[in-house]
Amino acid sequence: MNATTPQLSCTVRTFAQQLSSTRRGARIARLLATEQLRSWQVSPAVTERAELIVAELVGNAALHGHSQGRDFRVALTLDSSAGLLRITVTDARGDRLPSPSPDFETASDAESGRGLLLVTALADRWGTDPYPPGGKTVWADITLASEATRVTNRHSGATSAGPIL
């Protein structure tokens, strides 16, 4: 008797690209990440959230994490068995850690200062890790099943917990 053992389909897909710490590099990173997510057939709702998160994180890397002659790195990891998309952006400025400022600290007519509030609103959790010798990695997670939960919560009036830092 031949019996086959069921195999769990565990698929982890990765994408990484190193780009110049410029506005052009940030734009290319956003476009490449969006195209990669579409090729992996990630739902449009998750892709839209991820595109905005990538735009904010790579924009911050180019603006605040810039170090002369040093690039930044954007990476995506899609773990279908865990139902998780992780976005990471690594830059050379470990001395400049991001922190979201409360709404009242940003002037209403300011042109910047709200990016991490957007990341907080769109990601299920986000944080930073040191990247030796002197850089940092900012990461954001999107739970793939969370989109249905978000829609349900919007209709029921429930709120979800903030990021785990």
Side-chain angles (χ1 to χ4, degrees), residues 9-127:
S9 68
C10 178
T11 305
V12 176
R13 295 180 172 145
T14 59
F15 166 81
Q17 185 68 49
Q18 188 166 326
L19 296 153
S20 64
S21 291
T22 62
R23 292 173 69 182
R24 182 174 185 270
R27 181 176 181 274
I28 292 169
R30 182 183 54 81
L31 294 171
L32 289 172
T34 301
E35 186 56 35
Q36 187 63 58
L37 292 170
R38 287 182 182 146
S39 76
W40 288 341
Q41 298 181 345
V42 173
S43 77
V46 171
T47 298
E48 288 173 14
R49 287 172 58 198
E51 181 179 12
L52 291 169
I53 292 168
V54 168
E56 288 301 326
L57 296 183
V58 299
N60 285 348
L63 182 63
H64 305 294
H66 177 76
S67 182
Q68 187 65 32
R70 303 285 302 271
D71 297 336
F72 72 86
R73 180 177 182 264
V74 61
L76 305 172
T77 304
L78 178 65
D79 186 340
S80 61
S81 64
L84 186 71
L85 171 65
R86 175 161 278 197
I87 301 161
T88 61
V89 177
T90 302
D91 66 45
R93 296 293 304 265
D95 59 324
R96 295 182 124 183
L97 295 178
S99 63
S101 60
D103 284 334
F104 60 85
E105 287 185 17
T106 303
S108 61
D109 60 346
E111 293 182 16
S112 64
R114 295 180 192 83
L116 290 175
L117 292 173
L118 182 62
V119 172
T120 300
L122 294 171
D124 293 307
R125 64 196 148 272
W126 72 272

